[in-house]
Amino acid sequence: MSDIIQLLPDHVANQIAAGEVVQRPASVVKELLENAIDAGATNIKLLLKDAGKTLIQVIDDGKGMSVTDARMCFERHATSKIQKAEDLFNLNTKGFRGEALASIAAIAHVELKTKIDTEELGTSIKIEGSKIITQDFINTAKGTSLAVKNLFYNIPARRNFLKSDTVETRHIIDEFQRVALAHSNITFLLHHNNNEVYHLKSSNLRKRIVAIFGTKMNEKLVPINEQTDIIVIEGFVAKPEFAKRKRGEQFFFVNNRFIKSSYLNHAVVNAFDGLLEQGTHPSYFLYLTVPANTIDINIHPTKTEIKFDNEKALYAILRATVKHSLGQYNVAPVLDFNRDANLDTPYHIQKNVAKTTVPTISVDPNFNPFKEDNQKTHHYKKEHQTQSWESLYTDISIADIENKQEDLFNNQQEISTQKTFQIQRKYIMSLIKSGVVLINQSLAHQRILYEEFLESITVKEANSQQLLFPVKISFSSQEIEMIYTIKTELENAGFSFDEFTKDSVTIKGIPVSVTESKITIILEELLNDIDLEVPDASFSHFDVMAKSFAKTLSIKTGTQLSEKEQESLVNDLFSCKEPAVSPFGKQTFKTLTLQEIDNLFNS
Ligand code: ADP
Ligand code: MG
């Protein structure tokens, strides 16, 4: 048999390597930003089009590359950052594998422009699928610009595998934030489809965190500082009362490199011991500095996991440090009677009117569910499909009963006409032809609101109410970007917006079923829900939005409902298209027939 083993051609090897380095646009962003930092840049711009699917460009003012280096950088295992294996144990740069640019150039259209300080002219290189297309001398400033276009253009399977723009943007912003948090002394700019998303000026760490996560973050931060022989710990943890239901804001940096470590996370969470509400996660921004030769970064291809030499000692020091700082913070507020109450408000709402605690269900005082034409006056605009539930009642002649009861107990009218009862502020019981129906008030209201929102969002004929004073709400710029992407859907739902700034949005109008005091919470919950949503190809904001609003605005267990409100709820539920289940698939009511009640007594 003849020999069959061959070496793979370079471009094929590069494509295979790319599979490991480049999973999605965000991976490219990470590699390019890190290269810019390794080049000593003080200003870094990231320009994106279509969540990076069309364009990812990083422009830096770092040291640039010579003509030869500009060509060399696209070769596999071409790096200026290590020369021998021992260097791996003393790394001070982000990159060292020399694989990123070769991999990226194998699966995209790449344009490099670069110039070093001492040269008059710079170099421009175009490369597609590992093939150099052009190389020229150009006039350009010192530094490097690397544009990556049409990522995965030659690997359709990978391209089709990319998620929606919202999801891919989210991944990019995660990477961007990690890099920006690790280098608060560098100025960063992020533009997406020609809109400025971040402009982070060179500053200190606290200001950088606030610039990324919004002004409301400032009052949440508790500083952390500790120096020992084996580790320096700096940064902030957020006060326990601001712990989040998702793990979003948890950052460890080791020697200025973002890492994930469930072990160290455990140490921090442990330090919060007893201070956290169940199911919540503390936010933290912790910067650990250890001697470069006591860690091994090379164990993970994308370098977000690290091995420490003295893990146990680090755990103990970290835990003790965080605990100590929290302890100091915890004593203070209790003693401080003159504390500014504003500090307790997580969101800053300008011109907000007094909050009300009225249940969000609205009631028509003339409404009687047992009279057919009353439904026209009811506030929901949906087509009522009442047949199914009314048939439950048809055999009872309400008028008859009322008349008789009025005759018999003329002075107890309000008791005798009661048709619904609230049980333990949780269930509503109503009499039906065959027995009784028991309705879970909260789940039922979720169903009603869900259908109402879904209809107004999709039919695009929302019931909106104008606010007397527009409300300005601050969010992080990332949240603003997200609200902006779903602006149209929100408008369909009944919101109307005035001004968008980088970290606030002014709201002029809201859906009729929303009270002003709920605006912040429903938007916050919505962003959270979109975030948690496992996205797929059929990812629809409509449904997520309607579910989220329904969940947030529904009356809760424990809310006392007047008789009218109970009746209104029963009526609305059975006017729904799918009254039997909540938007999250739970049963909203159960019936108990006379037969079943009899059986209770006969067993
Ligand atoms: P690595 O970063 O692991 O060395 P890369 O493929 O990312 O590998 O980059 C290869 C080389 O190209 C780097 O070692 C560096 O010398 C050079 N390089 C890449 N990006 C830049 C940049 N923005 N400025 C200057 N040099 C760069
Ligand atoms: Mg690199």
Side-chain angles (χ1 to χ4, degrees):
M1 207 169 138
S2 57
D3 299 335
I4 51 170
I5 298 178
Q6 300 174 8
L7 280 177
L8 289 172
D10 262 1
H11 69 278
V12 179
N14 284 338
Q15 250 191 39
I16 294 171
E20 207 186 320
V21 183
V22 183
Q23 279 97 36
R24 51 176 14 125
S27 340
V28 175
V29 167
K30 173 172 192 277
E31 296 295 339
L32 298 189
L33 291 177
E34 292 189 347
N35 279 348
I37 288 164
D38 284 345
T42 56
N43 271 287
I44 300 177
K45 286 183 201 156
L46 170 60
L47 312 179
L48 304 169
K49 287 226 163 76
D50 307 324
K53 294 170 185 171
T54 310
L55 172 76
I56 300 161
Q57 183 172 15
V58 171
I59 305 169
D60 69 54
D61 62 354
K63 67 177 182 231
M65 283 179 266
S66 70
V67 190
T68 326
D69 282 356
R71 244 188 127 115
M72 267 297 280
C73 73
F74 294 110
E75 297 292 329
R76 206 137 60 95
H77 306 308
T79 180
S80 57
K81 298 169 193 173
I82 56 171
Q83 269 122 40
K84 45 191 192 310
E86 294 87 83
D87 295 345
L88 273 176
F89 301 102
N90 224 334
L91 275 173
N92 290 310
T93 54
K94 310 263 161 195
F96 55 85
R97 300 163 67 101
E99 275 185 323
L101 293 186
S103 300
I104 293 165
I107 50 167
H109 298 157
V110 174
E111 285 176 37
L112 167 69
K113 291 179 185 159
T114 188
K115 188 179 99 67
I116 52 175
D117 216 7
T118 51
E119 299 278 354
E120 187 87 338
L121 287 175
T123 311
S124 146
I125 289 179
K126 277 192 190 169
I127 178 165
E128 295 182 357
S130 300
K131 236 178 70 206
I132 303 242
I133 308 290
T134 61
Q135 172 163 359
D136 297 298
F137 286 107
I138 49 155
N139 247 316
T140 182
K142 178 202 150 204
T144 302
S145 155
L146 213 123
V148 177
K149 295 180 181 168
N150 310 319
L151 187 66
F152 298 132
Y153 80 99
N154 52 357
I155 317 180
R158 296 299 294 279
R159 190 153 177 104
N160 295 338
F161 181 74
L162 293 177
K163 306 283 198 234
S164 69
D165 282 7
T166 321
V167 174
E168 294 300 342
T169 306
R170 185 61 221 244
H171 283 288
I172 291 178
I173 287 182
D174 283 349
E175 291 295 353
F176 177 86
Q177 288 183 346
R178 292 166 183 175
V179 175
L181 283 170
H183 300 274
S184 54
N185 56 331
I186 297 179
T187 296
F188 287 93
L189 204 70
L190 168 54
H191 282 203
H192 188 197
N193 295 333
N194 298 322
N195 295 318
E196 183 181 293
V197 183
Y198 287 107
H199 186 172
L200 307 172
K201 303 218 173 69
S202 161
S203 63
N204 62 25
L205 179 55
R206 187 178 195 120
K207 284 190 185 144
R208 176 59 49 97
I209 294 172
V210 169
I212 293 178
F213 295 101
T215 36
K216 62 185 188 240
M217 184 55 92
N218 197 25
E219 76 222 28
K220 301 183 188 174
L221 298 176
V222 178
I224 305 284
N225 275 302
E226 179 66 285
Q227 287 204 20
T228 72
D229 288 346
I230 56 168
I231 189 169
V232 175
I233 305 174
E234 291 159 297
F236 299 91
V237 297
K239 295 172 190 170
E241 63 264 37
F242 296 111
K244 302 203 133 198
R245 261 167 296 145
K246 55 170 180 163
R247 285 161 173 264
E249 294 160 1
Q250 299 188 329
F251 297 88
F252 279 119
F253 301 89
V254 173
N255 298 357
N256 280 344
R257 184 194 294 277
F258 171 82
I259 61 135
K260 288 179 185 154
S261 166
S262 45
Y263 188 68
L264 295 182
N265 176 65
H266 193 268
V268 175
V269 173
N270 212 305
F272 275 81
D273 192 27
L275 297 172
L276 294 172
E277 223 175 276
Q278 221 198 339
T280 63
H281 307 278
S283 300
Y284 54 78
F285 311 85
L286 290 168
Y287 295 71
L288 318 185
T289 310
V290 295
N293 62 2
T294 64
I295 50 172
D296 183 358
I297 307 164
N298 204 11
I299 57 168
H300 195 275
T302 50
K303 297 164 284 178
T304 50
E305 278 163 30
I306 281 192
K307 217 179 126 22
F308 297 92
D309 279 358
N310 26 23
E311 220 171 40
K312 290 220 171 82
L314 298 187
Y315 182 102
I317 296 170
L318 181 60
R319 180 172 173 275
T321 305
V322 173
K323 213 177 166 72
H324 176 73
S325 302
L326 282 173
Q328 284 189 326
Y329 146 74
N330 261 336
V331 184
V334 180
L335 301 175
D336 187 358
F337 295 112
N338 296 323
R339 191 156 176 238
D340 184 354
N342 284 327
L343 288 175
D344 296 330
T345 313
Y347 279 88
H348 174 61
I349 301 181
Q350 287 168 12
K351 290 192 199 156
N352 197 2
V353 296
K355 298 187 183 210
T356 59
T357 49
V358 182
T360 53
I361 187 163
S362 36
V363 172
D364 174 355
N366 300 317
F367 174 60
N368 174 349
F370 298 90
K371 240 195 231 167
E372 280 204 44
D373 57 353
N374 257 323
Q375 291 176 357
K376 295 197 189 86
T377 62
H378 192 53
H379 73 283
Y380 294 122
K381 279 175 83 185
K382 109 182 74 172
E383 274 252 346
H384 285 249
Q385 298 183 327
T386 48
Q387 261 168 349
S388 54
W389 77 270
E390 278 190 336
S391 65
L392 295 170
Y393 290 84
T394 39
D395 273 8
I396 307 176
S397 167
I398 301 296
D400 275 6
I401 295 174
E402 277 180 1
N403 285 340
K404 275 187 201 146
Q405 286 175 333
E406 246 168 83
D407 289 346
L408 289 172
F409 314 101
N410 226 355
N411 49 353
Q412 293 178 22
Q413 204 175 353
E414 63 278 34
I415 298 169
S416 60
T417 55
Q418 187 163 351
K419 293 142 202 127
T420 57
F421 304 87
Q422 197 181 18
I423 306 173
Q424 298 287 341
R425 297 181 182 177
K426 183 171 185 188
Y427 298 103
I428 294 166
M429 191 182 79
S430 178
L431 301 175
I432 54 172
K433 176 181 69 174
S434 59
V436 295
V437 58
L438 286 165
I439 298 167
N440 180 310
Q441 65 185 43
S442 181
L443 298 179
H445 198 213
Q446 280 184 11
R447 163 55 60 182
I448 296 163
L449 290 172
Y450 171 70
E451 291 199 4
E452 188 193 53
F453 275 115
L454 203 60
E455 185 177 282
S456 62
I457 299 169
T458 49
V459 175
K460 300 184 169 52
E461 179 220 315
N463 298 327
S464 185
Q465 47 175 327
Q466 291 302 300
L467 295 171
L468 206 50
F469 301 105
V471 173
K472 184 172 173 184
I473 307 176
S474 22
F475 284 104
S476 71
S477 45
Q478 181 188 346
E479 288 167 330
I480 290 291
E481 164 93 340
M482 240 159 115
I483 294 176
Y484 198 78
T485 21
I486 53 170
K487 182 167 170 269
T488 321
E489 286 107 320
L490 285 167
E491 282 167 351
N492 289 343
F495 283 92
S496 65
F497 298 97
D498 205 357
E499 198 196 5
F500 274 86
T501 72
K502 265 188 312 181
D503 58 4
S504 75
V505 57
T506 306
I507 293 171
K508 300 189 296 198
I510 52 178
V512 280
S513 28
V514 175
T515 51
E516 192 170 333
S517 61
K518 289 269 165 77
I519 302 175
T520 309
I521 174 88
I522 76 161
L523 287 177
E524 201 188 17
E525 282 294 314
L526 175 65
L527 295 179
N528 201 7
D529 288 338
I530 291 181
D531 223 37
L532 294 176
E533 181 72 7
V534 180
D536 58 33
S538 62
F539 182 63
S540 148
H541 286 315
F542 291 151
D543 198 56
V544 180
M545 195 178 278
K547 277 187 185 149
S548 176
F549 289 171
K551 182 188 64 189
T552 313
L553 294 171
S554 58
I555 45 165
K556 303 293 182 290
T557 295
T559 309
Q560 174 111 47
L561 298 178
S562 72
E563 200 187 325
K564 293 267 194 265
E565 288 168 330
Q566 296 168 31
E567 287 172 0
S568 170
L569 189 79
V570 175
N571 178 65
D572 289 343
L573 176 66
F574 290 106
S575 307
C576 283
K577 293 203 175 81
E578 280 185 67
V581 285
S582 83
F584 302 94
K586 295 202 179 126
Q587 204 170 354
T588 53
F589 68 87
K590 272 190 189 291
T591 54
L592 209 52
T593 61
L594 192 60
Q595 182 67 55
E596 285 165 329
I597 297 171
D598 284 343
N599 287 346
L600 292 175
F601 292 91
N602 295 333
S603 55

